[in-house]
Amino acid sequence: MGSLGIASATGGQKTTALVESVDSEAACALLASGQYGYVDVRMWEDFDVGHVAGARNVPYYLSVTPRGRPERNPHFVEQVAALHAKKDRLLLGCRQGVRSRLAAADLLDAGFKNVKNLQGGYLSLLKCVNPQPLAYHQ
């Protein structure tokens, strides 16, 4: 488990939020406790391929441009706020943990208090739940 300060773009201002990351074993324990909700920040098509039971999908990126640049979801914070109160305990995950770390920083900057990032993302969580080699289709 660790914390990482990262730059976040919220409301046009650049700020730094302290994002706590948890490994897959700690994430499994948090989810099993029933005290944390899981927000999957991958794009819809990735979520549809497979996701954590009970996860809510709020994409941090909506698409990727032809030049390979991701298009950020301008309503991400508002969409999460429509599903969760700022005091709710949330675990954020993406494929490998990069997008979810950025998303967690945005939520913390917006006043959410109990947000953690899944270090290693959905792929690490799958390995924790099922240690057999897995094929990930994207």
Side-chain angles (χ1 to χ4, degrees):
M1 221 175 355
S3 297
L4 178 65
I6 63 169
S8 167
T10 305
Q13 298 177 5
K14 217 157 182 136
T15 60
T16 302
L18 192 61
V19 175
E20 182 180 350
S21 290
V22 297
D23 64 20
S24 58
E25 289 183 22
C28 285
L30 292 174
L31 294 173
S33 75
Q35 295 181 7
Y36 276 77
Y38 188 86
V39 178
D40 191 317
V41 301
R42 295 177 297 159
M43 290 188 275
W44 294 297
E45 56 270 16
D46 298 328
F47 182 81
D48 288 342
V49 171
H51 55 271
V52 172
R56 305 298 278 282
N57 183 221
V58 182
Y60 189 69
Y61 294 128
L62 296 175
S63 64
V64 177
T65 68
R67 292 185 177 197
R69 297 190 63 151
E71 176 192 352
R72 191 176 170 279
N73 178 357
H75 306 290
F76 174 75
V77 171
E78 294 84 10
Q79 290 170 346
V80 173
L83 299 170
H84 297 282
K86 290 187 175 184
K87 64 175 178 47
D88 288 353
R89 295 174 177 162
L90 301 176
L91 178 64
L92 272 62
C94 60
R95 185 172 189 260
Q96 294 180 312
V98 176
R99 256 176 301 189
S100 54
R101 192 170 54 231
L102 295 170
D106 282 0
L107 292 177
L108 289 167
D109 284 347
F112 282 78
K113 303 294 181 205
N114 301 304
V115 178
K116 297 181 188 302
N117 173 55
L118 172 55
Q119 181 181 328
Y122 180 66
L123 294 180
S124 71
L125 197 59
L126 284 177
K127 289 177 185 174
C128 174
V129 173
N130 180 12
Q132 301 299 318
L134 56 102
Y136 183 84
H137 304 288
Q138 199 173 10

